[in-house]
Structure formats: C-alpha cells, structure tokens
Amino acid sequence: MDDQKIAVVGAGTMGRGIAQVAAQAGFQVVLYDSVEGAAAKGLEVIQKSFQKLVDKGELEKELAQSAGEKISVANDLDGVADSFFVVEAIIEERGPKKALFQKLDQLCGSSAVLASNTSSIPITELASVTRHPENVIGMHFMNPVPLMPGVEIIKGLKTSEKTYQKTRQLAEQLSKRPVYSSDKAGFVINRILMPLINEAIHVVEEGTSTVEDVDNGAKYCLNHPLGPLALSDVIGNDTTHHILSVIEDELGDRFKPASLLTQMVEAGLLGNKTGAGFYLWVDNKPQEVNKQLLKYLKQ
Ligand SMILES: NC(=O)c1ccc[n+]([C@@H]2O[C@H](COP(=O)([O-])OP(=O)(O)OC[C@H]3O[C@@H](n4cnc5c(N)ncnc54)[C@H](O)[C@@H]3O)[C@@H](O)[C@H]2O)c1
C-alpha cells in the first residue's frame, strides 16, 4: 500500500476538485470514472483550473506543473487498489455507491480508508457491505472544492477512532477545516441547506416571487454570497434532488423535493453542468435567468 497515494472514484464536479486539492497538497492521485473518457476529461479540466490559478498569480507555475504531474487516470477500478485513502465521489444513489464500496473492499488493503463524499446517505449503510466497516467514513467536501475551506467528517456506527483521526489529519493536510457530524441522513450541512433550497424553489413555483428576486433576497437581505437557486444550479439540480430524496426517506415529507425541481431534472435542466438550470451558464458563471423556465412559470 502506498501511503502517499490517494484514489478518487468519480471524476465529476466533486471528484475533479478533490483530485486537484490532493495533488496540490503533494499526494499522488489516481482518478477513476466508470464512464469511458470521463476521468481523462476530468484531468483536462483540472489542468485548465491549474492554468487559471497560475494566470491569476495564485499558484506558481512550477507548483502547478508538479501538481498536474501527480494525477494519473486509471482505466479500471483495479488502479485504485494500492492507495492508502480512497474518496468515493460518484452519483448520489444508494445502489451504485453500495456496489462500489463492495468492490473497493475486495480490491483495497485491509487498512485503507474508504471515504465517501456522499451529501446525505448514511455511512453506516455504505459500511455495511464491507468486511472492514471500521475503515469506512464520510468525508464530505464542499463545492467548489479548491475554494471552500470546510469539510464535513462523518463517523458511521462502526468507524474506528483511528480512521477518524487519519481522516481529520488528511483534511488538515489538504488545508480544510474539519466539521464533525454523526451519521444521520443529510448530516449537518445538507440538513440545514436543503430546506432553504427546496423552499426557494417552492416560492418561485407558487409565484410568490421571481427567480431573480429570491436569489437577490438571499444575497442582499441575508448576506449570502450566492442565492439558493443559483447554488442549486452549481450543486447540480439532479444532485439536489437526490440529496432531498435520501433525507426524505429518513426524515419524512418536509424534505420532499419540490415538483418544479423534479420536472427540471426530467427536462435536463441540471444547472452549470448542462449549461442551463434556473440560469444559463457559460464558463461556470451564470449569464442570465433561464427565460424558457420563466415562460413556463409565467413570470
Ligand atoms: N455537486 C455538489 O455540490 C456536491 C457537494 C458535496 C458533495 N457532493 C456529492 O459528491 C458526489 C458526486 O457528486 P457530483 O456533483 O460530483 O456528481 P457528478 O454527476 O458531477 O459526477 C459523478 C461522476 O461519477 C461517475 N460515476 C457514476 N457511477 C460511477 C461508478 N459506479 N463508478 C465510477 N464512477 C461513477 C459519473 O460518470 C460522473 O462522472 C455525490 O455523492 C454528491 O452528493 C456533491
């Protein structure tokens, strides 16, 4: 087992960011995604992100280059086997995550930490399919990972103190401030964030206010850096929907996704990652409110 090698499984919005910060902190990183070409594309996005940091004078060219060289792409899951720490960042659904944890358990060393970046799925449940539940933990990074200073760490019922301490230590090595949560669906961050986003969607759906005014209200009356609708676009409206559904399973109707959110997911309006959600997005920036959606909402 290589105690300098971190594996990241899932090369989407979050996996890419996690791989980037791990490489910047000096670790060797292996990135795997089950969709062919996705990990290689993820690596390209990371290299562009390094270049942007260099252009802005926030990262030295040599450091960006050496961090870039630390990331490799694995063509199959076997490539993660010798890592001392694995971070899973795949789709927010119980079935695929449990199937993956079962495979990781077979492939990885008996002392490797298997961490999930899940936003809401209980860690004890993911750990239950492994032979070493003491090595399984939640390490919930925030989006965008390179910019957000906090990380939520979740102990499952059988997570050992050793695994917890190793994870806290890694968080600090990645320059992240750990926040502890016990193992309840949604943990702390999404228990408090998701009702805000869901309620904001209800407000525009029922016509109490507009997309723009809801977000401006959060920004200018509550001093939030980003309105909840723009934030859902950044998270991915599909991911927001998955998170709400998982918490709803455990905590009931108050987390039931708004029907407008369900429809937007069905219509492929996932936000930044598809270019359109509550807003139209170019280069990770909202350009304007999505007029097609406004028309549908008769706003
Ligand atoms: N988006 C956010 O703001 C955010 C924030 C914190 C945590 N999270 C959590 O992070 C995880 C990933 O979310 P995301 O936003 O990066 O999703 P995403 O849709 O951007 O990316 C998911 C990636 O996982 C890959 N994938 C799916 N099944 C796989 C499998 N079995 N093996 C390997 N790869 C697989 C997909 O091809 C895709 O590239 C979820 O658990 C989510 O709840 C998301």
Side-chain angles (χ1 to χ4, degrees):
M1 200 166 62
D2 184 339
D3 67 0
Q4 284 304 303
K5 185 172 170 189
I6 295 179
V8 180
V9 182
T13 310
M14 296 303 290
R16 293 197 293 258
I18 298 164
Q20 178 177 331
V21 296
Q24 269 179 265
F27 290 98
Q28 292 293 333
V29 180
V30 58
L31 186 60
Y32 170 76
D33 196 289
S34 58
V35 170
E36 211 187 316
K41 178 155 178 275
L43 183 52
E44 255 173 52
V45 176
I46 296 169
Q47 302 289 18
K48 276 190 196 146
S49 168
F50 281 139
Q51 188 56 48
K52 270 190 199 158
L53 291 173
V54 171
D55 293 346
K56 283 199 265 175
E58 289 170 13
L59 186 67
E60 282 177 31
K61 199 173 168 191
E62 292 71 32
L63 286 180
Q65 194 172 348
S66 75
E69 285 165 4
K70 287 190 186 312
I71 308 174
S72 62
V73 161
N75 293 326
D76 56 48
L77 194 59
D78 291 1
V80 313
D82 59 342
S83 311
F84 82 103
F85 204 102
V86 181
V87 185
E88 167 275 311
I90 70 164
I91 186 170
E92 185 71 356
E93 283 186 36
R94 292 182 143 88
K97 283 203 196 283
K98 280 162 97 167
L100 177 63
F101 270 83
Q102 215 161 17
K103 285 190 206 150
L104 290 173
D105 179 53
Q106 301 292 333
L107 279 174
C108 298
S110 60
S111 63
V113 173
L114 304 183
S116 176
N117 188 49
T118 178
S119 306
S120 54
I121 300 170
I123 300 307
T124 308
E125 186 179 338
L126 299 177
S128 70
V129 299
T130 69
R131 293 167 302 173
H132 295 289
E134 68 279 10
N135 296 345
V136 178
I137 195 159
M139 191 176 196
H140 178 214
F141 290 87
M142 306 294 135
N143 182 13
V145 183
L147 301 183
M148 297 295 282
V151 63
E152 197 174 26
I153 298 183
I154 306 106
K155 255 179 155 180
L157 197 143
K158 289 192 172 168
T159 307
S160 68
E161 184 57 25
K162 194 168 162 199
T163 298
Y164 179 62
Q165 291 305 338
K166 273 193 202 168
T167 308
R168 278 192 73 101
Q169 191 190 352
L170 178 64
E172 277 154 21
Q173 287 171 302
L174 302 184
S175 306
K176 302 291 177 202
R177 179 182 284 241
V179 173
Y180 168 77
S181 172
S182 68
D183 194 24
K184 266 274 192 195
F187 320 123
V188 172
I189 304 306
N190 282 302
R191 273 286 285 285
I192 56 182
L193 173 63
M194 286 297 139
L196 172 76
I197 292 178
N198 206 31
E199 208 52 35
I201 300 172
H202 280 302
V203 165
V204 293
E205 185 174 17
E206 72 201 20
T208 303
S209 190
T210 62
V211 169
E212 214 162 9
D213 279 333
V214 166
D215 276 355
N216 281 339
K219 282 195 330 206
Y220 304 121
C221 303
L222 302 175
N223 212 14
H224 291 192
L226 197 67
L229 303 170
L231 179 56
S232 187
D233 270 0
V234 170
I235 292 170
N237 291 313
D238 52 340
T239 302
T240 300
H241 194 280
H242 285 309
I243 297 170
L244 280 162
S245 303
V246 170
I247 310 179
E248 181 196 5
D249 284 348
E250 192 167 316
L251 298 177
D253 270 1
R254 68 186 204 271
F255 286 92
K256 186 179 168 55
S259 23
L260 175 62
L261 180 64
T262 306
Q263 284 188 314
M264 287 179 69
V265 174
E266 283 164 358
L269 297 178
L270 307 185
N272 185 19
K273 64 177 141 186
T274 54
F278 293 98
Y279 296 84
L280 300 181
W281 293 79
V282 176
D283 267 345
N284 299 323
K285 290 194 183 67
Q287 302 299 306
E288 55 176 336
V289 178
N290 181 353
K291 294 203 179 76
Q292 187 192 26
L293 183 72
L294 293 190
K295 220 166 138 191
Y296 178 66
L297 293 170
K298 301 192 175 62
Q299 284 186 4

